[in-house]
Amino acid sequence: MGMIRAEKLVFEYDKRDEEGNVIGSHRAIDGVDIDVPQGGSFVAILGHNGSGKSTLAKHMNAILVPTGGTMWVDGRDTKDPNELWNIRQSAGMVFQNPDNQIIGTVVEEEVGFGPENLGVPTDEIWKRVENSLRAVGMLERRKDSPNKLSGGQKQRVAIAGVIAMEPKCIVLDEPTAMLDPNGRKEVIEAVEQLRKEKNVTVILITHYMEEVIDADQVFVMDEGMW
Ligand SMILES: Nc1ncnc2c1ncn2[C@@H]1O[C@H](COP(=O)(O)OP(=O)(O)O)[C@@H](O)[C@H]1O
Ligand SMILES: [Mg+2]
C-alpha cells in the first residue's frame, strides 16, 4: 500500500461569470498518476505558476476531491467522507505563507493546537510539542510570540505544528517561496532532519532546483500533467 497514490487523477474548477453562474470548467489536473511509497521517501514536484501543483497538493489531504480518477492517501480513497479525519491525520499540509497558518499567540500553544484537536491527552501534547519544536530547532523559542519570529522561523513552527500530529506524510506547498536565502536553508534543513529522524514521507513543491537534489523522485508538472 502506497502512502500517496493517484490514478488518472483529473480535477476541474468551475468557471463562473460575474454573477457566479457556472459557465464552464477549467481542467487544472489532467490525468496524473503517482505512487509514493510509505516510509521516509522524498518526492519533489516542480513546475511553473499555474501548472496545477497546489491543486494536486490539496488532493493529498482531501481539501479537494478528484472530479475524475482516484486519489488514495495511506490506502484511503479521498472521495470517502468517512475517511476524511484519518486522511487529514495521515498527511499534514504546510502552505506558502506562514502568516496565514499561524494563529496562536505563543509558539508552544501554536504547536499544541493540532494534537489538541485530535483529542491527544494533555501530558502527551506537551511531550509532542517539545519533541516537534526540538526537531525543527525552535525549542528555545517556545515561549515567544510567533510574530516576533523571522519568516523561516515561522515556517519551522508551522512544520512543528504539523509534526506534532504525527502524520506519516507531510506535504509542503512552496514553503520557502516567501523566504530569504537564509530562511529557505533553515526550512529545508528542518525538513531533511524530520525525514531522517522520524521517517516521515516528504512531498515538497518548490521552484528552487537546489532544494530537490536529494529527492528520490522528481516530477515536473506542466498544464496539469507530467
Ligand atoms: N479556486 C480556483 N478556481 C478556479 N481556478 C483555479 C482555482 N485555483 C487555481 N485555479 C486554476 O487552476 C490552475 C492550476 O492552479 P494551481 O494549482 O494553483 O497551480 P500552481 O500551484 O502550479 O501555481 C491555474 O490555471 C489556476 O488559475
Ligand atoms: Mg501553487
Side-chain angles (χ1 to χ4, degrees), residues 48-55 58 96 173-174 205 207:
H48 58 74
N49 277 335
S51 58
K53 303 181 300 298
S54 293
T55 304
K58 287 173 186 161
Q96 194 177 90
D173 188 1
E174 302 199 44
I205 296 171
H207 272 300

Side-chain angles (χ1 to χ4, degrees), residues 3-4 34 36 41-45 56-57 60 92 94 169-175 191 195 200-206 219:
M3 181 65 236
I4 300 279
I34 190 169
V36 179
S41 68
F42 175 15
V43 173
I45 299 175
L56 179 64
M60 294 178 179
V94 175
C169 172
I170 176 166
V171 181
L172 303 114
D173 188 1
E174 302 199 44
V191 170
R195 198 168 66 81
V200 184
T201 305
V202 172
I203 315 263
L204 176 68
I205 296 171
T206 184
F219 296 92

Side-chain angles (χ1 to χ4, degrees), residues 114-129:
E116 194 178 354
N117 282 335
L118 295 176
V120 173
T122 310
D123 50 339
E124 167 72 11
I125 293 177
W126 288 114
K127 225 183 283 168
R128 290 194 192 185
V129 166

Side-chain angles (χ1 to χ4, degrees), residues 9-15 22 24-31 55 59 64-68:
L9 187 73
V10 170
F11 185 80
E12 292 178 340
Y13 288 104
D14 286 340
K15 238 193 234 160
V22 177
S25 62
H26 172 75
R27 187 169 284 214
I29 305 283
D30 193 10
T55 304
H59 280 78
L64 295 175
V65 293
T67 50

Side-chain angles (χ1 to χ4, degrees), residues 55-132:
T55 304
L56 179 64
K58 287 173 186 161
H59 280 78
M60 294 178 179
N61 82 342
I63 297 171
L64 295 175
V65 293
T67 50
T70 311
M71 171 68 92
W72 295 268
V73 176
D74 202 14
R76 306 169 202 276
D77 188 334
T78 62
K79 277 204 277 290
D80 182 351
N82 297 320
E83 296 286 19
L84 197 60
W85 185 253
N86 289 324
I87 288 168
R88 297 265 164 89
Q89 197 176 339
S90 297
M93 284 278 285
V94 175
F95 299 96
Q96 194 177 90
N97 188 343
D99 292 319
N100 293 345
Q101 49 198 328
I102 291 188
I103 47 176
T105 51
V106 179
V107 164
E108 59 184 3
E109 186 182 288
E110 173 66 34
V111 177
F113 280 144
E116 194 178 354
N117 282 335
L118 295 176
V120 173
T122 310
D123 50 339
E124 167 72 11
I125 293 177
W126 288 114
K127 225 183 283 168
R128 290 194 192 185
V129 166
E130 193 171 322
N131 286 337
S132 311

